[in-house]
Amino acid sequence: MKVLVIDDNEFIRQGVKQILAEAFPRVEIGEAGTGQRGLAAVHREPWDLAIMEISLPDLSGLELLRKLHSTAPRLPLMVLSLHPEKQYALRAFRAGAMAYLNKRITPAELTRATKHVLTGRMYVSSSLAVNMTNRLRDNSGKLDHETLSDREFEILMLVAQGQPIRDIAQFMTLSIETVNTYRASLLDKLHLTTTDELIRYALDHQLLDSQGAEPG
């Protein structure tokens, strides 16, 4: 079995390798520290599973998911991220992921999810299942941020984390003008007018994790 781990944090890559090596004695594990290197590895050779972070220094995680899924439609994709599930999980599933896990999970759950996904089934953690059930029971309809496009949502998260527009444009390989257009659109959809209001919205809706982690 060949597993590709895509994460810019070497400590995380080594930890995942150790957990998988103990659970699957014959596993062969490849590493990629950036999204582009991960994509190149999938272009170069076949894999049985890819485990990736949603926040990478060179490529939007949702975009990488879509590109990996397009390049290798049968490749099972798992997200192991520092971002809480309620931020990105549903969007990640729509982009092709078969599991979304927070890095605070136990080694046992990572192993369980990996075995589950390798059988061709999606894995939903108990906490995410509860969140999804609560959303289905909520008769108020979609929250404002759930109406955003993936691009708008990612820019919302980056702005809320304090990233300058110039840095966001470079990270997402977009022009500053384009990022500002997306920002104006998402502010309009959220009925907000300033960056401070946007940050408050993200905090009020628990879109930022407790550590306020920034991408990369």
Side-chain angles (χ1 to χ4, degrees):
M1 179 176 74
K2 292 177 60 178
V3 178
L4 176 64
V5 181
I6 307 172
D7 198 298
D8 62 322
N9 188 314
E10 183 178 0
F11 178 78
I12 294 296
R13 296 199 305 270
Q14 293 304 314
V16 172
K17 287 176 64 175
Q18 182 177 347
I19 292 169
L20 295 183
E22 293 177 357
F24 307 95
R26 297 184 179 181
V27 68
E28 178 183 339
I29 301 177
E31 298 180 54
T34 67
Q36 293 291 357
R37 290 176 183 173
L39 189 59
V42 171
H43 275 288
R44 187 169 56 246
E45 57 187 303
W47 301 87
D48 297 299
L49 175 69
I51 300 175
M52 57 167 283
E53 167 63 84
I54 204 79
S55 288
L56 294 165
D58 66 327
L59 194 63
S60 154
L62 294 175
E63 182 179 355
L64 177 59
L65 272 172
R66 287 189 289 269
K67 288 184 175 181
L68 290 173
H69 187 59
S70 175
T71 300
R74 297 184 179 180
L75 173 64
L77 302 171
M78 290 176 54
V79 174
L80 180 63
S81 179
L82 56 85
H83 293 291
E85 296 163 323
K86 69 183 303 178
Q87 290 183 5
Y88 280 103
L90 292 180
R91 292 176 184 269
F93 285 132
R94 294 191 196 107
M98 295 183 68
Y100 190 104
L101 303 167
N102 188 274
K103 284 179 177 176
R104 297 182 179 90
I105 64 168
T106 64
E109 184 168 6
L110 176 58
T111 299
R112 183 165 58 251
T114 300
K115 291 179 177 178
H116 202 85
V117 167
L118 286 171
T119 66
R121 296 176 294 166
M122 295 183 68
Y123 181 86
V124 179
S125 68
S126 56
S127 59
L128 180 57
V130 169
N131 182 265
M132 292 172 68
T133 300
N134 289 339
R135 291 296 299 126
L136 289 173
R137 289 175 176 172
D138 184 357
N139 294 324
S140 64
K142 286 187 176 181
L143 297 174
D144 287 341
H145 63 268
E146 294 176 332
T147 68
L148 301 177
S149 69
D150 284 344
R151 283 284 198 194
E152 290 168 341
F153 183 76
E154 288 177 300
I155 289 173
L156 159 65
M157 295 301 298
L158 292 169
V159 172
Q161 291 161 6
Q163 296 293 317
I165 295 297
R166 184 179 299 276
D167 291 351
I168 295 173
Q170 182 177 5
F171 170 69
M172 301 189 75
T173 62
L174 299 172
S175 69
I176 292 176
E177 181 181 354
T178 299
V179 172
N180 279 324
T181 298
Y182 277 119
R183 177 182 176 277
S185 176
L186 72 89
L187 285 172
D188 181 63
K189 290 181 180 179
L190 298 178
H191 311 290
L192 305 174
T193 57
T194 68
T195 297
D196 286 345
E197 290 177 352
L198 187 151
I199 293 171
R200 173 51 55 189
Y201 179 96
L203 290 170
D204 288 346
H205 289 82
Q206 300 178 346
L207 297 180
L208 299 177
D209 62 44
S210 60
Q211 296 178 343
E214 296 181 359

